[in-house]
Amino acid sequence: MPTRKLVTSYTQDLERFPDLWDKIGLWIGFTILILFPFVASSYWLTILNQAFIAVIGSVALMILTGFAGQISLGHAAFLGIGAYTVAILGARFHIPFWLALPIAGILASLIGLIIGPFALRLRGLYLAIVTLGLLFLTEHILMSFPEYTGGVSGLSVPTHLGFTKVEGEGGLGAFSRPSEIFGFRVSFAHKIYFILALLALGSAFLCSNIRRSTLGRSMMAVRESDLAASVIGVNPAVAKIAAFGISSFLAGVAGGAFALQQQYITIVPPFDLSLSIQYITMIVLGGVGTTFGAVAGALVFIICSPMMEWVGSHLPLINKLTNAQQSTLLFSVLVCIILIYEPFGLYGVWLKVKRYFLTWPFRY
Amino acid sequence: MTNFLELTVSGIALGAIYALVALGFSVIYRGSQVFNFAQGEFLTWGAFGMIALLEAGVPWGLALLGTMIGTGLLGGLVERSILRPLVGRPIFVTIIVTIFIGAILHATAHVVWGSDPMGMPTPWDAMKAFKLGEVSIWYNSLAAIFGAAFALGGFFLMISFTRFGVAMRATASDQETALAMGIPVGRILGATWFLSAAFAALGGVLLSMFPRQADMGLSYVALRAFPAVIVGGLESVGGTILAGVLLGVVEVYAQGYVNPLLGNFGQNFHAVFPYIVMIAFLIFRPYGLFGLKEVERL
C-alpha cells in the first residue's frame, strides 16, 4: 500500500497536509480541541491535559527512535530531569514556570548531548542498555539528594507567575488558583489546558518540520544505514547528536509540563523503566517514523487507559488486579494484536480508512 | 580477609544466577536476533511454579525438573503463538512485542499466584552455613554455584556434541542456509525459547532461596543482568557466562566496599555500579568482550 499519493514537484513534496482528507481531519481535531474544555468534566479535562504532555514526550521519542533509529530505554530519565528541574527551580528559587520550562528543556538537552556521543560507537541494543543505565543512574542521583528532591516522599511544584514568592495556597503560587476572566471562573486545569495544547501543537509542528527538512532526511538516512548515509554525504555523527539534543530538549519540557500539571511529583513511580516503555508503546502504536503516529499514539494511549480500567473492572479474574495493572494487561494484549496484524500501527489503520473512501465503491 | 572471601563466594553464587539469566538472553539473541525483554518474568513463573509443585507434595528434585520443563513449555508457547507470526517483520517491532509479552506474563502471574512474597523450601537446612576454616559459606550459595554450573555444563555438552546442538548453531549462524540444509528452523527457535525459559526458571528457584524470597520483584533481576549480556558481547555465549559471574562479584564487592565509602549517596549504589562499569567498558570495547564486530556491506 503506498503511504501517500504520487508526488510530482518539490512544493507538493513539502506540503504538510497533502490531501483534502488530512485537512478535514485537521479541522475536525482543531474544533474539538477548542470546544473541549467548555463541555468536558474536570476528570476528562485532566486526562486530556495528560494526553498533551504525552504528545510532547512521544514526539521527542519519535524524533530519536522513529526518525534517527536510535533505540532509547532512558526516555523517562529526561522526563524526570525536566520535572525535577521545574520543581526545584520553582520551590527553592521562586523562578516563574514560563522560564523554568525552557530551562528544564535545556538542562535535559545537555544530558542528552552527553549521551549522544555514545550512539556514535554503539548500535542497537548496546545503546538501548546504556540509556537504561542512564535511567538507573538518574533515579539513584535523584534519590540520593533528598534535601533537594524530597527523596521518596516527593516535592510540591509551585507555579509562580513572577519572581517573588507567593504565600498561601500551600505555597503553590498564584497561577494555580482559579481566576476570573471576562466574568468566567477559570480553574487551574482550564488554564493549563491551553498552555499544554499550545506546547503539544508546537512540538508536533516542530516534528513535522524536522521531518521534511535536511536534518530530518539525514536522520532517516542514518536510520536505514549509517554507512550508506555517510557514503552519500550525510554526517551520521551530526544527525545522531542532533536527534539526541532535540529529543531530550522536548522530553525535558514534557517532564516539566508534567510536574506543573501534577503539582506534586515523586521519583518512582512515575520516572522508571515502565514510563520509558509507555512512550515506546505510544510511538509503536501510532506508527514509527511519522508525526501523525507520535500524536495519535499518545492521544489514544492516554485516553484509552481509563477506558481499559473500566473494561478490566468488568472482567472476571482480571478485576482482582489493581487499576494500573488491569490497564497494562489489556493494553499489552491490544498492542500485541495490533502489531501482529498492522505493523504500521494507527498510521496504517488511517491509511486503510482513507484508501477505502478514496477508491469507494471499488476495493483498493 | 575472611570478609573478602565470604563476599567472593556469595558474589560467585549471585554471578552464577546472573550467568543463567544472561545465557537465556544470549541463546535467543543468537538464534533470532531478538532481545527478549520477557525473560525476567520466567524467573517469577519458575519460582512460584516450584513453590506450587512443592505444596502439592512433589519431591524436591522432581519438582525442580517439572518447573524447568513447565516454564520451558510456557516459553515455547509464547514463541509459537506470538513471535512466529512476526517472523520477517522488522526486528524492532519484535523486540517491542517481547516487552508486552513480559507485561502480560507479569500481570497473569499476579492473577495466578497473588502478590504475597513466599519462602522457597529447600531439602537442606537453609539457615546453615558450611565452615571452611574461618570462612562460612551458605549451603544455598553452594547450591546456586553447583546448580548453575551443572546446567551450563549440560548446555555446552549439548551444543557441542549432539545433532540438535549442531542444528542450533547452524540456525544461529545463518537461518536461510540452515533451512536449505533441511533444518527445521522454526522448531529450533521454539527450542531456544524453551531452553532460555527453563534456565530462567532454574535461576528464579535458586535466587528465591534464603536469604531472599520469591516475590513479584524477581523479574527485575533480569534487568540487573543486562550489563552481563552487554559486556560479554551479545553474540557470545561463553563471554556472557564469564561476564555474568564477574557481574555478581562486582556487585557484591560494591555492596561491601564501595557503598560505605559514599555515605548517603552509597545507599543501593551497588545496583547502579555494574551499569557504570559497563558504560566505562563500552567506551573502550563497543562490542563487549567477545562480541562480533559488525562487518557492514552495502
Side-chain angles (χ1 to χ4, degrees):
Chain A
M1 179 170 43
T3 53
R4 59 177 183 177
K5 66 180 181 188
L6 183 67
V7 170
T8 51
S9 70
Y10 280 116
T11 28
Q12 261 183 326
D13 192 26
L14 284 177
E15 266 185 82
R16 216 181 260 109
F17 300 102
D19 282 358
L20 182 65
W21 287 94
D22 294 319
K23 291 191 179 87
I24 291 174
L26 180 76
W27 281 108
I28 291 174
F30 204 63
T31 321
I32 293 174
L33 189 75
I34 297 288
L35 292 180
F36 188 80
F38 298 101
V39 291
S41 66
S42 65
Y43 176 73
W44 282 102
L45 198 64
T46 312
I47 300 237
L48 214 67
N49 280 343
Q50 286 167 355
F52 287 143
I53 295 166
V55 167
I56 308 171
S58 72
V59 161
L61 191 62
M62 185 61 87
I63 291 171
L64 185 62
T65 305
F67 293 177
Q70 310 296 309
I71 303 173
S72 165
L73 290 171
H75 202 57
F78 297 115
L79 290 161
I81 291 167
Y84 271 89
T85 309
V86 165
I88 293 171
L89 284 181
R92 290 180 69 95
F93 303 103
H94 317 301
I95 307 275
F97 70 90
W98 44 265
L99 188 61
L101 267 184
I103 295 178
I106 290 167
L107 200 69
S109 168
L110 287 178
I111 308 285
L113 291 178
I114 294 174
I115 286 293
F118 279 97
L120 306 183
R121 274 174 76 77
L122 307 175
R123 58 190 65 219
L125 291 164
Y126 287 94
L127 182 67
I129 306 297
V130 166
T131 55
L132 182 63
L134 171 76
L135 174 59
F136 286 149
L137 200 60
T138 310
E139 267 175 30
H140 184 74
I141 291 172
L142 286 178
M143 281 291 187
S144 304
F145 294 99
E147 60 271 30
Y148 288 96
T149 62
V152 186
S153 54
L155 185 65
S156 71
V157 187
T159 38
H160 302 294
L161 271 176
F163 285 90
T164 48
K165 187 181 182 191
V166 186
E167 295 298 334
E169 306 289 326
L172 280 178
F175 190 72
S176 58
R177 256 166 292 176
S179 51
E180 297 240 336
I181 299 174
F182 302 123
F184 291 104
R185 194 170 173 280
V186 186
S187 71
F188 175 65
H190 281 92
K191 280 191 279 190
I192 206 156
Y193 175 90
F194 288 104
I195 294 174
L196 293 176
L198 273 180
L199 284 175
L201 277 178
S203 54
F205 188 72
L206 175 73
C207 182
S208 71
N209 264 350
I210 286 176
R211 192 181 143 76
R212 58 198 195 126
S213 68
T214 317
L215 184 61
R217 283 196 298 271
S218 60
M219 282 178 192
M220 282 182 255
V222 169
R223 174 186 68 191
E224 301 307 332
S225 157
D226 41 3
L227 190 59
S230 60
V231 167
I232 56 171
V234 169
N235 187 347
V238 172
K240 284 179 184 175
I241 292 180
F244 265 99
I246 297 168
S247 161
S248 46
F249 177 83
L250 285 176
V253 171
F258 177 79
L260 290 175
Q261 190 262 336
Q262 294 282 311
Q263 300 193 314
Y264 194 91
I265 52 171
T266 50
I267 302 167
V268 179
F271 301 109
D272 54 4
L273 181 61
S274 66
L275 185 69
S276 298
I277 288 174
Q278 280 175 18
Y279 276 98
I280 295 177
T281 317
M282 289 176 202
I283 64 168
V284 175
L285 185 68
V288 173
T290 56
T291 312
F292 175 90
V295 176
L299 288 177
V300 168
F301 184 90
I302 298 290
I303 293 171
C304 280
S305 286
M307 294 184 188
M308 287 296 163
E309 278 173 28
W310 183 83
V311 174
S313 62
H314 288 78
L315 292 175
L317 276 181
I318 295 175
N319 56 20
K320 282 199 290 186
L321 298 168
T322 63
N323 280 349
Q325 284 172 335
Q326 284 170 14
S327 70
T328 319
L329 175 62
L330 292 174
F331 226 96
S332 308
V333 175
L334 187 71
V335 172
C336 282
I337 294 171
I338 289 182
L339 289 183
I340 289 173
Y341 292 104
E342 185 52 84
F344 283 111
L346 294 171
Y347 185 63
V349 176
W350 163 242
L351 284 181
K352 272 189 183 151
V353 171
K354 208 163 74 173
R355 292 291 154 203
Y356 179 83
F357 284 105
L358 278 180
T359 55
W360 192 84
F362 304 107
R363 285 276 192 82
Y364 183 73
Chain B
M1 192 61 199
T2 322
N3 189 23
F4 177 77
L5 286 176
E6 279 177 3
L7 285 181
T8 310
V9 173
S10 62
I12 292 175
L14 183 63
I17 297 170
Y18 280 148
L20 273 179
V21 178
L23 178 68
F25 283 115
S26 196
V27 165
I28 292 182
Y29 184 82
R30 286 262 292 172
S32 53
Q33 272 77 53
V34 170
F35 196 76
N36 173 23
F37 279 96
Q39 185 80 359
E41 307 308 327
F42 293 126
L43 289 167
T44 322
W45 277 84
F48 280 91
M50 176 84 179
I51 291 171
L53 281 183
L54 287 175
E55 276 173 2
V58 184
W60 205 85
L62 213 58
L64 183 62
L65 201 66
T67 307
M68 286 177 68
I69 292 174
T71 317
L73 288 178
L74 179 67
L77 178 76
V78 165
E79 197 277 336
R80 184 69 195 84
S81 59
I82 303 179
L83 290 181
R84 199 74 65 81
L86 288 171
V87 167
R89 293 278 172 76
I91 287 297
F92 181 60
V93 172
T94 319
I95 293 172
I96 299 296
V97 167
T98 66
I99 294 177
F100 292 100
I101 295 168
I104 294 170
L105 287 175
H106 192 76
T108 36
H110 267 281
V111 175
V112 178
W113 316 109
S115 32
D116 300 323
M118 282 188 241
M120 171 69 65
T122 42
W124 54 87
D125 188 354
M127 316 291 250
K128 273 247 182 76
F130 160 88
K131 278 271 177 193
L132 198 77
E134 290 290 292
V135 187
S136 55
I137 300 168
W138 296 102
Y139 278 130
N140 285 344
S141 299
L142 285 181
I145 295 171
F146 283 114
F150 193 68
L152 297 176
F155 175 75
F156 268 99
L157 289 180
M158 187 206 73
I159 211 162
S160 325
F161 295 115
T162 61
R163 265 181 90 81
F164 177 71
V166 175
M168 261 179 88
R169 282 187 288 155
T171 310
S173 100
D174 190 329
Q175 287 193 1
E176 275 177 31
T177 316
L179 262 178
M181 295 291 156
I183 292 168
V185 169
R187 229 178 295 158
I188 296 286
L189 291 184
T192 61
W193 274 75
F194 176 90
L195 278 175
S196 121
F199 283 142
L202 178 62
V205 170
L206 292 174
L207 197 69
S208 51
M209 285 177 190
F210 184 80
R212 297 188 200 81
Q213 284 179 308
D215 60 17
M216 288 296 152
L218 274 180
S219 51
Y220 296 110
V221 173
L223 295 184
R224 309 260 291 262
F226 282 166
V229 188
I230 294 297
V231 169
L234 273 170
E235 289 88 0
S236 159
V237 172
T240 311
I241 292 168
L242 179 67
V245 176
L246 279 178
L247 170 72
V249 175
V250 163
E251 192 178 315
V252 173
Y253 282 164
Q255 194 170 9
Y257 297 118
V258 183
N259 281 12
L261 288 181
L262 296 172
N264 222 358
F265 189 73
Q267 272 180 348
N268 286 324
F269 185 69
H270 65 278
V272 191
F273 190 68
Y275 273 91
I276 298 176
V277 173
M278 173 196 78
I279 290 173
F281 184 81
L282 284 180
I283 295 175
F284 299 106
R285 278 195 72 94
Y287 298 94
L289 270 176
F290 302 106
L292 299 176
K293 192 164 166 48
E294 223 171 301
V295 180
E296 265 189 282
R297 269 187 299 184
L298 292 178

